[in-house]
Amino acid sequence: MSNLAPNLDVATRPDAAELPAIAPIAPRGRGLRVPLTVRLLVGNWKSRLGIFVFGSIVIVALAAPLIAHNSPSDIVALPGQAPNWHFPFGTTDQGYDVFSQVVWGARQSLAVGALAALISTAIAVTLGLLAAYSGGWIDDVVNLVTNVFLVIPTLPLLVVIAAFIPNRGPTMLVLIIGLTTWAVEARILRGQALSLRNRDFVLAAKVAGEPTWRIVFGEIMANMVSRIAAAFLLVFYIAILFEAGLEFLGLADVNDTSWGATMYWAQNNSAVLQGEWWHFFFPGIALALSVASLVMINYGVDELSNPRLRRRQRRSVLRALWGGRP
């Protein structure tokens, strides 16, 4: 019986040296999976550039006490100095540091734009979902109010409202801009919610007896997140422009430190006519870069809500790789 037993000791076999070595198989870990939304945003070169530029502006605004050592409201040097080593953005015709005004002004300009965008997006989402899901007279009333705000031009409406309000601080700017810029996105979100209301997963949730708030927020709104993000970005950069425009026209508190207030004083003191272009140029370029970066980020967000844009981008990349051949 001992001769029939298999020899399990491979090392004692005479041909053991000729057998290939078998490496142990390491257990495969799950690893860190990057979400699809992040991959789409980073994969698009426009949104990638926009995230880098806007992130840099936000970091500079948060680090203002470390970067800008001079106070933006104190006279720190001789007036009318061109950009130099000590004052990279020059000084105003009164001796203020333009670099400090631009860096510190980013805080208020971005904060007003972000808060106004939050208010506007919240109103647009609420009214859009309410009108689409409820229907009937609620939909008619929401459509009537939305049409009124769509007919009235936003910027003239802001000018008229700001002209009759005595308190023109940042809080009032947030409320004015946020309460007047929701109509376009409310109409768009209502249309998308109407297309989702009769989908199979929504009807299945109704049959299962899910409560209304669960269907609206858990089923319909969950499938509109990318479009809501696009709406927020759109209102964000529009709010930054409107805030700067109202301050440039003198319809806000120009004693605050912001990009619009800096350009207001540059225009009020005829800085460009005197050859002091830096007083107007640097806050203007900061405003332009912020808006352009948000627009670029919005390109990536649009791909999340519209898969056709992803296929179109892949076809353009393949066409470029193949030299224009089909």
Side-chain angles (χ1 to χ4, degrees):
M1 295 296 293
S2 60
N3 295 331
L4 298 178
N7 188 4
L8 300 178
D9 191 0
V10 180
T12 60
R13 295 174 56 181
D15 57 344
E18 301 177 1
L19 295 177
I22 301 177
I25 300 176
R28 182 177 298 177
R30 290 187 176 182
L32 180 62
R33 292 183 59 86
V34 180
L36 178 61
T37 56
V38 177
R39 280 184 286 165
L40 288 174
L41 286 176
V42 177
N44 190 330
W45 71 268
K46 295 179 182 179
S47 60
R48 185 166 61 244
L49 178 60
I51 292 172
F52 174 76
V53 174
F54 188 74
S56 301
I57 295 174
V58 172
I59 291 174
V60 169
L62 295 176
L66 303 177
I67 298 175
H69 301 290
N70 297 321
S71 175
S73 57
D74 291 342
I75 298 176
V76 295
L78 295 175
Q81 292 190 46
N84 54 66
W85 180 258
H86 298 286
F87 301 99
F89 291 176
T91 60
T92 68
D93 58 353
Q94 296 176 348
Y96 298 104
D97 187 3
V98 179
F99 178 77
S100 296
Q101 291 183 345
V102 172
V103 173
W104 282 97
R107 289 189 162 192
Q108 177 170 319
S109 296
L110 297 180
V112 169
L115 293 175
L118 283 175
I119 294 176
S120 178
T121 306
I123 296 174
V125 171
T126 302
L127 294 182
L129 292 177
L130 180 64
Y133 190 80
S134 299
W137 66 270
I138 297 179
D139 189 16
D140 294 336
V141 172
V142 172
N143 277 330
L144 176 63
V145 177
T146 304
N147 290 333
V148 170
F149 277 88
L150 287 175
V151 170
I152 301 175
T154 304
L155 185 57
L157 178 62
L158 288 174
V159 171
V160 172
I161 295 176
F164 286 96
I165 294 179
N167 182 12
R168 301 175 182 177
T171 303
M172 189 56 61
L173 283 178
V174 169
L175 294 176
I176 293 175
I177 298 173
L179 295 175
T180 55
T181 56
W182 54 267
V184 175
E185 290 303 326
R187 176 61 56 85
I188 295 174
L189 294 175
R190 172 185 173 273
Q192 188 171 8
L194 283 174
S195 65
L196 295 173
R197 186 180 63 178
N198 296 323
R199 294 287 182 88
D200 293 338
F201 60 89
V202 176
L203 297 178
K206 292 181 179 179
V207 172
E210 295 287 346
T212 302
W213 67 268
R214 174 68 176 79
I215 297 174
V216 172
F217 293 101
E219 302 294 341
I220 298 178
M221 186 176 174
N223 289 273
M224 298 170 56
V225 173
S226 58
R227 189 62 196 83
I228 294 173
F232 172 79
L233 291 173
L234 175 64
V235 182
F236 193 176
Y237 68 76
I238 289 177
I240 293 176
L241 289 174
F242 283 165
E243 187 258 353
L246 291 176
E247 290 177 337
F248 182 74
L249 295 174
L251 297 175
D253 189 359
V254 294
N255 293 319
D256 292 333
T257 302
S258 65
W259 293 335
T262 303
M263 291 189 291
Y264 166 82
W265 288 112
Q267 179 268 342
N268 192 55
N269 297 329
S270 303
V272 178
L273 296 178
Q274 297 179 13
E276 300 175 0
W277 54 268
W278 52 88
H279 192 183
F280 192 90
F281 174 78
F282 288 109
I285 200 66
L287 178 65
L289 286 176
S290 299
V291 173
S293 61
L294 288 173
V295 172
M296 290 181 179
I297 296 173
N298 215 355
Y299 280 114
V301 176
D302 284 339
E303 288 190 4
L304 299 179
S305 58
N306 191 354
R308 294 181 180 178
L309 295 177
R310 305 178 208 168
R311 293 195 294 268
R312 187 180 305 171
Q313 184 183 13
R314 294 193 191 101
R315 287 197 298 266
S316 62
V317 171
L318 291 176
R319 191 179 297 113
L321 293 176
W322 285 92
R325 291 179 291 175

